[in-house]
Amino acid sequence: MLRVHFTAEDLLGVRFAAEPLPLFELALALVAAQRTDAPEVFGRWRQRLGRELPGAALPLLELLRPDGDNPPFVEPPVRDFEEALDAVRLAAPLVGDEELTRILARSRSKAATAPWLRGLRDGDRESWELLEGALRAAHRAVIVPQWAAIGQSFRADVAWRARLLATHGIKAALASTHPAASWSGTVFEVGRPPDFEVRLAGRGLTLMPSPFWTGRPLLAGHPDGSHLLIYPALTPLPLVPPGRAEGSLDALLGRTRAAVLTLLVQQRTTSELARDLDISLPSVSEHTRTLRAAGLITTRRDGKAVLHSATGLGVDLLHSGG
């Protein structure tokens, strides 16, 4: 379980990151490529990335694991890509032997990669140059073509969650970051392994949605001294509508998901949604799962039927989106 202890000062110090960070998103994209959850959304994207990821980028898969437990030096919280690479270079002599030994121990194919990882640990210049080349190749192939869509997903989530915070408070805004998230007094909890506990102690919390991350919220350090909470954006990258969205609701949810929410002003079954929107049943299930996790709809069973309807929060979002 993840447990984050807030003081009164911390609750007043919750804020949103200004923009997505290139090496953070690159790391989370390569993590998402190795995960197996949310296949309806990420399945085709993972297959395509598996074909298109250049060979020079493959060493990163030994550093970046499916659980998101990434070494901090490979994802510095820096806004500019070249400056982020500078931060990686500067980190080389500062990375502790313990951290790199841990990476070496969890490598999946030690025979192929141990020399390179040992080179990182031992400060070998060629190994660190190999890492920089891998970051450049992966960024060029994975992030650059999708940067506009990543920004759209990020801004849409921040806009939605900021409204949620203003109308329903910080607890509702944070509880909606994951289906297993809840509050126990002033402790934010997410009932998923592994166990991790942190006390903010007045340093505050910076919220950063990622369109690639699909697991429970992650914690990292932020340059301003606060903790950074990385959580799944309401609209994951494969569902971001291409081009410019037609309206604010489409920009936030994606066109199909916005249509699902609109139809659910009146109660409908999964089959009725599939028929009315001419989409598959698995696609309907994925859209309703995400809307339910955000508190925008409720779902209940009535015999064999599964009934969905918009919540008050969902109806409020529809009104604000016109």
Side-chain angles (χ1 to χ4, degrees):
M1 174 182 288
L2 172 67
R3 303 185 82 238
V4 183
H5 295 259
F6 284 75
T7 65
E9 185 178 358
D10 292 316
L11 291 170
L12 294 173
V14 174
R15 53 198 173 275
F16 293 96
E19 58 188 333
L21 304 172
L23 285 191
F24 253 99
E25 293 305 330
L26 175 59
L28 292 171
L30 295 179
V31 164
Q34 300 176 71
R35 293 174 67 87
T36 57
D37 56 343
E40 297 88 352
V41 175
F42 281 93
R44 291 183 181 178
W45 176 84
R46 288 175 179 134
Q47 293 173 5
R48 186 172 68 252
L49 187 60
R51 296 190 301 268
E52 298 176 355
L53 190 66
L58 294 180
L60 292 174
L61 300 181
E62 295 298 337
L63 285 175
L64 307 171
R65 308 295 294 125
D67 60 4
D69 181 19
N70 299 329
F73 68 84
V74 83
E75 48 180 24
V78 179
R79 297 180 183 180
D80 178 79
F81 176 66
E82 291 297 332
E83 291 179 4
L85 283 183
D86 288 341
V88 173
R89 292 188 205 102
L90 291 172
L94 304 176
V95 176
D97 181 75
E98 181 180 347
E99 173 67 14
L100 287 171
T101 298
R102 184 175 70 89
I103 294 168
L104 186 64
R106 70 181 188 173
S107 173
R108 289 175 300 172
S109 50
K110 295 184 177 68
T113 62
W116 171 64
L117 291 176
R118 284 199 302 269
L120 288 182
R121 184 185 61 187
D122 298 337
D124 176 64
R125 187 181 69 180
E126 290 186 2
S127 295
W128 283 91
E129 288 176 350
L130 178 68
L131 172 60
E132 180 178 341
L135 289 170
R136 285 190 180 278
H139 179 261
R140 188 164 51 247
V142 180
I143 298 300
V144 171
Q146 299 286 357
W147 190 244
I150 291 168
Q152 182 173 327
S153 173
F154 178 93
R155 290 188 296 272
D157 188 278
V158 169
W160 155 240
R161 220 164 293 276
R163 177 178 175 82
L164 185 60
L165 189 152
T167 55
H168 297 274
I170 184 59
K171 289 192 172 184
L174 282 176
S176 66
T177 59
H178 191 274
S182 62
W183 286 84
S184 177
T186 58
V187 181
F188 174 62
E189 300 179 336
V190 186
R192 291 290 186 275
D195 292 338
F196 187 74
E197 191 162 6
V198 65
R199 296 181 184 275
L200 299 180
R203 287 168 292 182
L205 191 68
T206 300
L207 307 181
M208 190 174 79
S210 170
F212 292 109
W213 181 235
T214 58
R216 81 164 196 198
L218 301 171
L219 280 171
H222 193 279
D224 66 7
S226 69
H227 282 81
L228 189 65
L229 187 78
I230 303 104
Y231 62 90
L234 187 60
T235 304
L237 184 76
L239 296 183
V240 176
R244 189 174 181 84
E246 295 178 359
S248 59
L249 197 59
D250 287 349
L252 172 62
L253 300 177
R255 194 167 293 114
T256 302
R257 198 174 302 168
V260 171
L261 181 59
T262 301
L263 288 177
L264 291 181
V265 170
Q266 294 183 338
Q267 184 173 264
R268 281 176 167 81
T269 66
T270 301
S271 298
E272 288 171 338
L273 287 170
R275 181 199 64 206
D276 293 346
L277 295 173
D278 193 24
I279 59 178
S280 68
L281 289 172
S283 180
V284 171
S285 296
E286 179 59 32
H287 289 309
T288 54
R289 182 193 67 80
T290 303
L291 292 170
R292 186 166 55 251
L296 301 178
I297 70 169
T298 60
T299 299
R300 65 180 181 85
R301 285 193 172 274
D302 184 8
K304 294 183 179 180
V306 179
L307 303 174
H308 311 281
S309 58
T311 63
L313 194 60
V315 172
D316 182 47
L317 177 61
L318 289 170
H319 287 161
S320 66

